Structures are given as structure tokens and as C-alpha cells.
Amino acid sequence: MAAASLDQSWSFRFSLLMASILAISCKSSAAFQPSVWQLAHATFYGDETASETMGGACGYGNLFATGYGTETVALSSTLFNNGYACGTCYQIKCFQSQWCYGSVPYITVTATNLCPPNWSQDSNAGGWCNPPRTHFDMSKPAFMKVADWKAGIIPVMYRRVPCQRAGGLQFSFQGNGYWLLVYVMNVGGAGDIAQMWVKGSKTDWISMSHNWGASYQAFAALGGQSLSFRLISYSTRETIIAWDVAPANWNVGLTYKANVNFH
Ligand SMILES: *[C@@H]1O[C@H](CO)[C@@H](O)[C@H](O)[C@H]1NC(C)=O
């Protein structure tokens, strides 16, 4: 009897151990899953060159230089979430409109801008981005892949999807010797950031505060030190550490590439 219960107890402990190992490995590999398809509407802004989409409210600057290209979208403030939705990715398909192109089932776009409310227009007649509407103001080239631009506005089905990014996270530096402002770009997986920290080679981890769009800041003297970053995904809560992203002679105005990314 004693031997049997001992065995049971060991096998019980072993299953607990296996369960925790499984839980830990699942947590660290929690890839972002697509959401369900939902109904919304889409318009477009700018022209075929997409020049008006540059310098948007996420702070990505020139979208050709930073790799986002023309397949981008401005989100209504309900979706934009004060900038925390910067970098998130969506599949958008034109839905039951005479203007839909059947040949392209959907387009995948990245959120790079805010579509601000315009309270002098009714939410159902021009004020498409007014809260609480979920609305996509696409670049004109992106819109033109799913529908005739003459439509102006189309009903769409959309879903959040993982962002497919080539290469690692990118950190674009602004600020000065005592204030580091970092724009995080090329974020894979859920594409969004909840929180981040910076660590100089001579400091501990320093919490950074959200500034605007996809930028985070630290008020600290970090000059002459190599810099590492720790980030938490907004949607999956996954943590990632990008060690020694910038060398000790880092400078503002430059973009540093990590060899890690969310998935
Ligand atoms: C808001 O809507 C009004 C009325 O249509 C228009 O005149 C104005 O230019 C719009 N404002 C912005 C910032 O687009």
C-alpha cells in the first residue's frame, strides 16, 4: 500500500511538473492569432503616390524608408487606442458593394496613422472616423486593390492578423544626451507594444514612458553606453529582450536593428 501511494504521489508530481513545463513553453511561444472577421467601413486618403500617408501619427516618418510602403491604413480613434495600435496589421476585404473588385480577396495593411474625428460632420455622413465608429482610412493605392476608388466609401470585413516582418525589431533614435526618444518599428507578431525599458551597459533596466504613436522615452544619461531594450507585446503580453541593439557610440537620427522580433 505504502509503495503504491508513493508511486501515485510521484506520478502526480511528475504530471504537475510536465504541466508547468508545458505552460511555460506555451507562454513563451504564444503567437498572435487572427481575430474573427467583423464588419466596418473603409475610405481612402491622399492620392496614388501615398505621399499624404507619410509622417503619420505613429511617427514612422517616410514609410518607404521604414519599410511599410503603401499598404497602410489610418485608424479611427476607437481602433487607434492612443497610439498603442500603431504597427498592428489587418486583412481588409470589400464586402457586398457594387464597387468591390472580385479579383483580390483581401489586402493586408499596417496601421501607421490616426484618422481623427471631425465633429462638424455627422458620423454617418462624412465623419466616418468619429467615435465610436471602427473605421479604416486606407492609403489610396491600398484601397484601389480591393475596390474602385470612385466608391469613396465601402463596407468591409476586417480582422486583426499577425504582422509578417522580415528581420528584427528596429529602433529609431531621437532626443539628446539626457532624453532618449525611441520609435519602435518593424514589429512582428501582434505588431503592438505595451511597455518598454532601456538598459545602458552601466545602468539597470530603466522604464520608458509612452510619448506618442509608437515612441517611448527615457530621461536618463545613456551616452557612451551600448543599449539594450526589453519590450512587452500589448496583445500577447510576450516579453522580448533585444540585447546590445545600439553600440556605445550610438547617435540620435539613426535607426538600429535588432536580431529578434515578436512572432
Ligand atoms: C471637417 O468637416 C468640415 C465640413 O465638411 C470641413 O470643412 C473641414 O475641412 C473638415 N476638417 C478637417 C480637419 O478635415
Side-chain angles (χ1 to χ4, degrees):
M1 261 325 268
S5 60
L6 192 67
D7 275 357
Q8 273 167 15
S9 144
W10 273 109
S11 80
F12 177 66
R13 283 185 204 187
F14 184 70
S15 3
L16 271 187
L17 180 70
M18 290 315 287
S20 20
I21 288 170
L22 205 63
I24 290 163
S25 57
C26 283
K27 196 179 173 199
S28 63
S29 64
F32 182 72
Q33 298 301 314
S35 68
V36 297
W37 289 97
Q38 286 170 276
L39 194 59
H41 286 82
T43 47
F44 62 87
Y45 70 115
D47 61 19
E48 281 87 341
T49 67
S51 58
E52 283 188 47
T53 66
M54 307 289 149
C58 290
Y60 296 144
N62 183 312
L63 299 175
F64 294 113
T66 51
Y68 293 103
T70 60
E71 312 221 319
T72 63
V73 68
L75 302 177
S76 62
S77 43
T78 298
L79 288 167
F80 192 66
N81 191 17
N82 204 20
Y84 286 104
C86 284
T88 54
C89 297
Y90 302 84
Q91 284 174 351
I92 296 178
K93 54 185 175 190
C94 185
F95 183 65
Q96 294 182 353
S97 156
Q98 64 183 91
W99 304 101
C100 294
Y101 292 152
S103 51
V104 180
Y106 60 79
I107 186 163
T108 306
V109 288
T110 304
T112 59
N113 204 354
L114 165 70
C115 177
N118 185 343
W119 295 112
S120 65
Q121 291 183 309
D122 187 275
S123 300
N124 296 309
W128 311 119
C129 291
N130 296 351
R133 292 184 65 105
T134 52
H135 188 84
F136 297 90
D137 202 15
M138 302 165 78
S139 77
K140 194 171 180 185
F143 187 97
M144 288 168 65
K145 286 190 177 160
V146 293
D148 187 335
W149 65 269
K150 294 190 191 77
I153 180 167
I154 49 168
V156 295
M157 293 294 278
Y158 77 96
R159 64 174 185 168
R160 269 279 301 277
V161 291
C163 300
Q164 312 290 339
R165 300 282 176 231
L169 295 165
Q170 293 177 17
F171 300 87
S172 178
F173 286 15
Q174 294 297 332
N176 55 48
Y178 302 92
W179 171 53
L180 177 64
L181 180 66
V182 178
Y183 294 84
V184 188
M185 300 186 292
N186 201 51
V187 183
D192 50 12
I193 303 297
Q195 224 181 325
M196 72 184 263
W197 293 260
V198 60
K199 185 187 174 329
S201 44
K202 296 172 196 153
T203 74
D204 205 341
W205 288 106
I206 298 165
S207 177
M208 302 181 82
S209 56
H210 184 220
N211 186 310
W212 67 290
S215 74
Y216 289 80
Q217 63 192 350
F219 297 93
L222 295 163
Q225 302 177 54
S226 63
L227 303 182
S228 304
F229 294 98
R230 184 166 81 200
L231 307 95
I232 298 183
S233 161
Y234 190 94
S235 296
T236 68
R237 311 308 296 183
E238 186 186 352
T239 299
I240 221 171
I241 296 180
W243 292 106
D244 296 323
V245 169
N249 65 349
W250 63 264
N251 223 323
V252 297
L254 296 178
T255 298
Y256 296 94
K257 297 180 180 180
N259 55 12
V260 291
N261 210 331
F262 291 104
H263 54 274

